[in-house]
Amino acid sequence: GRVWSFRDVTERRQQEESLRLANRAINSSTHGIILIENSPQFLTTYLNPASIQLLHLDDIDSIQKPFLILSDAFSNNWWN
């Protein structure tokens, strides 16, 4: 015997397309966007390219570090 299974994936594909477009918009924005984890440490989870450039940061070293460390780096780099 055979078992057939059908699913309507229209909504899932629309959500994926929406996420893809949002990701493109965030990455191409000239405004700095930083996502911070809602935890006692306030770890950074994402920095878009504009925020990395504006804060003179290294993107790899900035992820999963407390936001307060980044804000210190920002205040030190702002005047240099």
Side-chain angles (χ1 to χ4, degrees), residues 5-17:
S5 176
F6 297 97
R7 291 186 192 160
D8 184 3
V9 294
T10 304
E11 184 177 340
R12 179 177 166 197
R13 294 221 176 158
Q14 289 171 344
Q15 290 173 346
E16 289 173 352
E17 179 65 14

Side-chain angles (χ1 to χ4, degrees), residues 23 25-29 31-37 42-71 73-74 77:
N23 189 32
I26 289 170
N27 281 328
S28 64
S29 175
H31 298 281
I33 299 171
I34 301 173
L35 299 182
I36 303 168
E37 189 177 272
F42 297 111
L43 298 176
T44 57
T45 57
Y46 176 80
L47 294 100
N48 74 334
S51 64
I52 292 167
Q53 182 181 6
L54 289 169
L55 300 176
H56 305 285
L57 298 172
D58 182 15
D59 60 337
I60 296 172
D61 292 337
S62 303
I63 301 297
Q64 294 300 314
K65 290 201 175 169
F67 178 70
L68 296 176
I69 291 173
L70 293 180
S71 63
F74 171 71
N77 289 328

